[in-house]
mmCIF file with all atom_site columns, all heavy atoms in Angstrom:
data_model
loop_
_atom_site.group_PDB
_atom_site.id
_atom_site.type_symbol
_atom_site.label_atom_id
_atom_site.label_alt_id
_atom_site.label_comp_id
_atom_site.label_asym_id
_atom_site.label_entity_id
_atom_site.label_seq_id
_atom_site.pdbx_PDB_ins_code
_atom_site.Cartn_x
_atom_site.Cartn_y
_atom_site.Cartn_z
_atom_site.occupancy
_atom_site.B_iso_or_equiv
_atom_site.pdbx_formal_charge
_atom_site.auth_seq_id
_atom_site.auth_comp_id
_atom_site.auth_asym_id
_atom_site.auth_atom_id
_atom_site.pdbx_PDB_model_num
ATOM   1  N  N   . MET A 1 19 ? -10.325 -8.678  1.528  1.00 0.00 ? 19  MET A N   1
ATOM   2  C  CA  . MET A 1 19 ? -10.865 -9.932  2.072  1.00 0.00 ? 19  MET A CA  1
ATOM   3  C  C   . MET A 1 19 ? -12.257 -10.228 1.506  1.00 0.00 ? 19  MET A C   1
ATOM   4  O  O   . MET A 1 19 ? -12.573 -11.381 1.203  1.00 0.00 ? 19  MET A O   1
ATOM   5  C  CB  . MET A 1 19 ? -10.932 -9.866  3.594  1.00 0.00 ? 19  MET A CB  1
ATOM   6  C  CG  . MET A 1 19 ? -9.600  -10.111 4.249  1.00 0.00 ? 19  MET A CG  1
ATOM   7  S  SD  . MET A 1 19 ? -9.831  -10.113 6.030  1.00 0.00 ? 19  MET A SD  1
ATOM   8  C  CE  . MET A 1 19 ? -8.234  -10.695 6.551  1.00 0.00 ? 19  MET A CE  1
ATOM   9  N  N   . GLY A 1 22 ? -11.773 -11.672 -1.731 1.00 0.00 ? 22  GLY A N   1
ATOM   10 C  CA  . GLY A 1 22 ? -11.313 -13.064 -1.595 1.00 0.00 ? 22  GLY A CA  1
ATOM   11 C  C   . GLY A 1 22 ? -12.475 -14.001 -1.300 1.00 0.00 ? 22  GLY A C   1
ATOM   12 O  O   . GLY A 1 22 ? -12.575 -15.090 -1.884 1.00 0.00 ? 22  GLY A O   1
ATOM   13 N  N   . MET A 1 23 ? -13.364 -13.575 -0.412 1.00 0.00 ? 23  MET A N   1
ATOM   14 C  CA  . MET A 1 23 ? -14.514 -14.425 -0.073 1.00 0.00 ? 23  MET A CA  1
ATOM   15 C  C   . MET A 1 23 ? -15.443 -14.580 -1.273 1.00 0.00 ? 23  MET A C   1
ATOM   16 O  O   . MET A 1 23 ? -15.972 -15.652 -1.528 1.00 0.00 ? 23  MET A O   1
ATOM   17 C  CB  . MET A 1 23 ? -15.260 -13.835 1.141  1.00 0.00 ? 23  MET A CB  1
ATOM   18 C  CG  . MET A 1 23 ? -14.449 -13.957 2.411  1.00 0.00 ? 23  MET A CG  1
ATOM   19 S  SD  . MET A 1 23 ? -15.362 -13.536 3.889  1.00 0.00 ? 23  MET A SD  1
ATOM   20 C  CE  . MET A 1 23 ? -15.581 -11.796 3.721  1.00 0.00 ? 23  MET A CE  1
ATOM   21 N  N   . HIS A 1 37 ? -6.911  -8.998  -5.601 1.00 0.00 ? 37  HIS A N   1
ATOM   22 C  CA  . HIS A 1 37 ? -7.020  -9.372  -4.180 1.00 0.00 ? 37  HIS A CA  1
ATOM   23 C  C   . HIS A 1 37 ? -5.628  -9.348  -3.524 1.00 0.00 ? 37  HIS A C   1
ATOM   24 O  O   . HIS A 1 37 ? -5.449  -8.764  -2.449 1.00 0.00 ? 37  HIS A O   1
ATOM   25 C  CB  . HIS A 1 37 ? -7.647  -10.768 -4.123 1.00 0.00 ? 37  HIS A CB  1
ATOM   26 C  CG  . HIS A 1 37 ? -7.481  -11.494 -2.844 1.00 0.00 ? 37  HIS A CG  1
ATOM   27 N  ND1 . HIS A 1 37 ? -8.248  -11.234 -1.739 1.00 0.00 ? 37  HIS A ND1 1
ATOM   28 C  CD2 . HIS A 1 37 ? -6.628  -12.500 -2.484 1.00 0.00 ? 37  HIS A CD2 1
ATOM   29 C  CE1 . HIS A 1 37 ? -7.883  -12.051 -0.757 1.00 0.00 ? 37  HIS A CE1 1
ATOM   30 N  NE2 . HIS A 1 37 ? -6.908  -12.826 -1.181 1.00 0.00 ? 37  HIS A NE2 1
ATOM   31 N  N   . ALA A 1 38 ? -4.649  -9.966  -4.195 1.00 0.00 ? 38  ALA A N   1
ATOM   32 C  CA  . ALA A 1 38 ? -3.300  -10.056 -3.621 1.00 0.00 ? 38  ALA A CA  1
ATOM   33 C  C   . ALA A 1 38 ? -2.686  -8.665  -3.442 1.00 0.00 ? 38  ALA A C   1
ATOM   34 O  O   . ALA A 1 38 ? -2.104  -8.362  -2.398 1.00 0.00 ? 38  ALA A O   1
ATOM   35 C  CB  . ALA A 1 38 ? -2.414  -10.920 -4.517 1.00 0.00 ? 38  ALA A CB  1
ATOM   36 N  N   . ASN A 1 41 ? -4.341  -6.578  -0.648 1.00 0.00 ? 41  ASN A N   1
ATOM   37 C  CA  . ASN A 1 41 ? -3.943  -7.019  0.689  1.00 0.00 ? 41  ASN A CA  1
ATOM   38 C  C   . ASN A 1 41 ? -2.478  -6.747  0.993  1.00 0.00 ? 41  ASN A C   1
ATOM   39 O  O   . ASN A 1 41 ? -2.140  -6.411  2.130  1.00 0.00 ? 41  ASN A O   1
ATOM   40 C  CB  . ASN A 1 41 ? -4.229  -8.519  0.859  1.00 0.00 ? 41  ASN A CB  1
ATOM   41 C  CG  . ASN A 1 41 ? -5.716  -8.789  1.012  1.00 0.00 ? 41  ASN A CG  1
ATOM   42 O  OD1 . ASN A 1 41 ? -6.471  -7.913  1.402  1.00 0.00 ? 41  ASN A OD1 1
ATOM   43 N  ND2 . ASN A 1 41 ? -6.136  -9.987  0.676  1.00 0.00 ? 41  ASN A ND2 1
HETATM 44 C  C1  . HEM B 2 .  ? -11.037 -13.382 4.314  1.00 0.00 ? 201 HEM B C1  1
HETATM 45 C  C2  . HEM B 2 .  ? -9.754  -13.465 3.979  1.00 0.00 ? 201 HEM B C2  1
HETATM 46 C  C3  . HEM B 2 .  ? -9.272  -14.016 2.662  1.00 0.00 ? 201 HEM B C3  1
HETATM 47 C  C4  . HEM B 2 .  ? -9.921  -14.811 1.749  1.00 0.00 ? 201 HEM B C4  1
HETATM 48 C  C5  . HEM B 2 .  ? -11.341 -15.362 1.788  1.00 0.00 ? 201 HEM B C5  1
HETATM 49 C  C6  . HEM B 2 .  ? -8.973  -15.054 0.657  1.00 0.00 ? 201 HEM B C6  1
HETATM 50 C  C7  . HEM B 2 .  ? -9.251  -15.793 -0.482 1.00 0.00 ? 201 HEM B C7  1
HETATM 51 C  C8  . HEM B 2 .  ? -8.365  -16.023 -1.520 1.00 0.00 ? 201 HEM B C8  1
HETATM 52 C  C9  . HEM B 2 .  ? -8.668  -16.785 -2.721 1.00 0.00 ? 201 HEM B C9  1
HETATM 53 C  C10 . HEM B 2 .  ? -10.006 -17.468 -3.021 1.00 0.00 ? 201 HEM B C10 1
HETATM 54 C  C11 . HEM B 2 .  ? -7.552  -16.777 -3.495 1.00 0.00 ? 201 HEM B C11 1
HETATM 55 C  C12 . HEM B 2 .  ? -7.377  -17.403 -4.898 1.00 0.00 ? 201 HEM B C12 1
HETATM 56 C  C13 . HEM B 2 .  ? -6.783  -18.770 -4.752 1.00 0.00 ? 201 HEM B C13 1
HETATM 57 C  C14 . HEM B 2 .  ? -6.522  -19.407 -6.112 1.00 0.00 ? 201 HEM B C14 1
HETATM 58 O  O1  . HEM B 2 .  ? -6.257  -18.687 -7.110 1.00 0.00 ? 201 HEM B O1  1
HETATM 59 O  O2  . HEM B 2 .  ? -6.557  -20.642 -6.195 1.00 0.00 ? 201 HEM B O2  1
HETATM 60 C  C15 . HEM B 2 .  ? -6.528  -16.015 -2.799 1.00 0.00 ? 201 HEM B C15 1
HETATM 61 C  C16 . HEM B 2 .  ? -5.252  -15.777 -3.278 1.00 0.00 ? 201 HEM B C16 1
HETATM 62 C  C17 . HEM B 2 .  ? -4.307  -15.003 -2.636 1.00 0.00 ? 201 HEM B C17 1
HETATM 63 N  N1  . HEM B 2 .  ? -4.465  -14.333 -1.446 1.00 0.00 ? 201 HEM B N1  1
HETATM 64 FE FE1 . HEM B 2 .  ? -6.124  -14.342 -0.269 1.00 0.00 ? 201 HEM B FE1 1
HETATM 65 N  N2  . HEM B 2 .  ? -7.792  -14.413 0.944  1.00 0.00 ? 201 HEM B N2  1
HETATM 66 C  C18 . HEM B 2 .  ? -7.918  -13.753 2.147  1.00 0.00 ? 201 HEM B C18 1
HETATM 67 C  C19 . HEM B 2 .  ? -6.975  -12.964 2.779  1.00 0.00 ? 201 HEM B C19 1
HETATM 68 C  C20 . HEM B 2 .  ? -5.719  -12.665 2.270  1.00 0.00 ? 201 HEM B C20 1
HETATM 69 C  C21 . HEM B 2 .  ? -4.743  -11.793 2.908  1.00 0.00 ? 201 HEM B C21 1
HETATM 70 C  C22 . HEM B 2 .  ? -4.970  -11.072 4.246  1.00 0.00 ? 201 HEM B C22 1
HETATM 71 C  C23 . HEM B 2 .  ? -3.636  -11.755 2.097  1.00 0.00 ? 201 HEM B C23 1
HETATM 72 C  C24 . HEM B 2 .  ? -2.341  -11.011 2.251  1.00 0.00 ? 201 HEM B C24 1
HETATM 73 C  C25 . HEM B 2 .  ? -2.050  -10.193 3.251  1.00 0.00 ? 201 HEM B C25 1
HETATM 74 C  C26 . HEM B 2 .  ? -3.919  -12.605 0.946  1.00 0.00 ? 201 HEM B C26 1
HETATM 75 C  C27 . HEM B 2 .  ? -3.052  -12.829 -0.091 1.00 0.00 ? 201 HEM B C27 1
HETATM 76 C  C28 . HEM B 2 .  ? -3.298  -13.641 -1.174 1.00 0.00 ? 201 HEM B C28 1
HETATM 77 C  C29 . HEM B 2 .  ? -2.333  -13.889 -2.248 1.00 0.00 ? 201 HEM B C29 1
HETATM 78 C  C30 . HEM B 2 .  ? -0.917  -13.338 -2.339 1.00 0.00 ? 201 HEM B C30 1
HETATM 79 C  C31 . HEM B 2 .  ? -2.972  -14.730 -3.173 1.00 0.00 ? 201 HEM B C31 1
HETATM 80 C  C32 . HEM B 2 .  ? -2.406  -15.283 -4.494 1.00 0.00 ? 201 HEM B C32 1
HETATM 81 C  C33 . HEM B 2 .  ? -2.932  -14.416 -5.636 1.00 0.00 ? 201 HEM B C33 1
HETATM 82 C  C34 . HEM B 2 .  ? -2.589  -14.965 -7.008 1.00 0.00 ? 201 HEM B C34 1
HETATM 83 O  O3  . HEM B 2 .  ? -2.304  -16.162 -7.149 1.00 0.00 ? 201 HEM B O3  1
HETATM 84 O  O4  . HEM B 2 .  ? -2.631  -14.181 -7.975 1.00 0.00 ? 201 HEM B O4  1
HETATM 85 N  N3  . HEM B 2 .  ? -5.189  -13.124 1.085  1.00 0.00 ? 201 HEM B N3  1
HETATM 86 N  N4  . HEM B 2 .  ? -7.056  -15.580 -1.601 1.00 0.00 ? 201 HEM B N4  1
#
Side-chain angles (χ1 to χ4, degrees):
M19 281 184 170
M23 290 189 291
H37 163 79
N41 286 337

